[in-house]
Amino acid sequence: MTSLPQARRFDWSNLGLRIASGVVLVPTALYATLGQHQHFVPALQGRQEALPYLLLISIGVALLAIEWGGMSAPGAPVRVSAAVTAAVLSAVFLGYEKHFVLAWLALPVGALAAALVARGVAERPADAAYGVFYIAPAAVCLVWLRATNQGVWWTLMLFAATWAADIGAFAVGSVLKGPKLWPRFSPNKTWSGFFGGLAAAMATGALMASLPYFQLNLWAAAFIGLAVGLATMAGDLWESALKRRFGVKDSGDIIPGHGGLLDRVDGLMFAVVVMAAARLANEIGWGH
């Protein structure tokens, strides 16, 4: 009896580690998003309840900055990481105080400061500045998204659609395999996984809108899920290109089965910007 072709076998190599990591990370993200409430109907915007969420974002920013410093400034990673962390957290805390215009204005100032620090320690200023522009928009959008009306629902849909895209792409791509999506930068990703991830994200968006109390049109939610799925894939590919540029395999090793935190949230960093844009359009009147 002949065995199945190798291309059709499922890749189980690090699935166990991925699942174990998810068992820890997912409840942490959900608890921080929900805050201290036992019920989340119709919306949760309390400042006290948002403190765990702010803490989670702040820790994430620090870890991402550390990984960015390690990749982009191997000669002085601590100083560059500290500069990027300070610049991004300044914008995050301004956003938490609902000074979002000031938060966005703080980004170029923080990027310039990080560039000056990098230049002072003989590292590339442009890489340090880009680290601020790479990390900060996602962090500020995360703060803003939860602060909007029904913001917890929108944040939960963001997480659900992003996770669905990632899981769908991994599962479908591992089973079906097929032509590579972008072999130059990410040799393991396939077109089958790409479409599987998009379908999973789209279905998840529609499912979220079908839940009670979430004031979002079903078709609009499916479209948002699709857009979030596309952004997730784009973020993943972009981070692969960045790692190739800096000559590293992983951004770090903090998460078993995934590598660094940046390896885990690369898609989310793009997806939250798309979700924030969708939420802004919804506030104007689209998708009701």
Side-chain angles (χ1 to χ4, degrees), residues 37-86:
H37 286 270
Q38 294 181 348
H39 305 284
F40 48 100
V41 180
L44 308 174
Q45 277 83 253
R47 286 172 55 79
Q48 182 178 359
E49 289 75 19
L51 283 175
Y53 187 68
L54 177 66
L55 178 61
L56 181 65
I57 292 175
S58 300
I59 293 173
V61 165
L63 293 175
L64 290 173
I66 290 171
E67 293 180 358
W68 184 259
M71 288 194 304
S72 67
V78 175
R79 293 189 184 185
V80 172
S81 297
V84 173
T85 300

Side-chain angles (χ1 to χ4, degrees), residues 154 157 161 216 219-229 274-275 278-279 286:
W154 283 86
M157 184 167 72
L216 184 63
W219 291 106
F223 176 79
I224 292 172
L226 176 63
V228 167
V274 170
M275 181 64 84
R279 181 68 186 95
W286 174 80

Side-chain angles (χ1 to χ4, degrees), residues 119-285:
R119 183 179 181 183
V121 292
E123 292 292 342
R124 291 174 291 195
D127 288 340
Y130 180 73
V132 176
F133 286 119
Y134 187 34
I135 300 171
V140 173
C141 285
L142 279 171
V143 174
W144 178 82
L145 188 65
R146 191 187 186 279
T148 61
N149 181 40
Q150 289 206 320
V152 167
W153 281 104
W154 283 86
T155 307
L156 291 177
M157 184 167 72
L158 165 70
F159 290 151
T162 303
W163 293 335
D166 189 34
I167 293 170
F170 177 77
V172 175
S174 296
V175 172
L176 298 182
K177 299 188 183 297
K180 301 298 182 181
L181 179 61
W182 198 2
R184 178 182 176 185
F185 293 115
S186 188
N188 294 325
K189 292 179 176 59
T190 63
W191 281 102
S192 63
F194 174 77
F195 289 114
L198 292 184
M202 190 173 182
T204 300
L207 179 63
M208 288 292 298
S210 69
L211 298 176
Y213 306 107
F214 194 10
Q215 300 169 1
L216 184 63
N217 179 279
L218 184 66
W219 291 106
F223 176 79
I224 292 172
L226 176 63
V228 167
L230 282 169
T232 301
M233 306 294 179
D236 196 0
L237 290 171
W238 183 250
E239 198 245 349
S240 296
L242 288 174
K243 288 190 295 185
R244 180 66 62 90
R245 177 180 182 270
F246 292 125
V248 298
K249 182 178 183 295
D250 295 315
S251 64
D253 57 4
I254 191 174
I255 304 177
H258 292 283
L261 182 61
L262 184 58
D263 295 316
R264 175 66 277 178
V265 301
D266 49 6
L268 178 67
M269 292 169 65
F270 277 43
V272 66
V273 176
V274 170
M275 181 64 84
R279 181 68 186 95
L280 185 61
N282 179 257
E283 283 197 335
I284 296 173

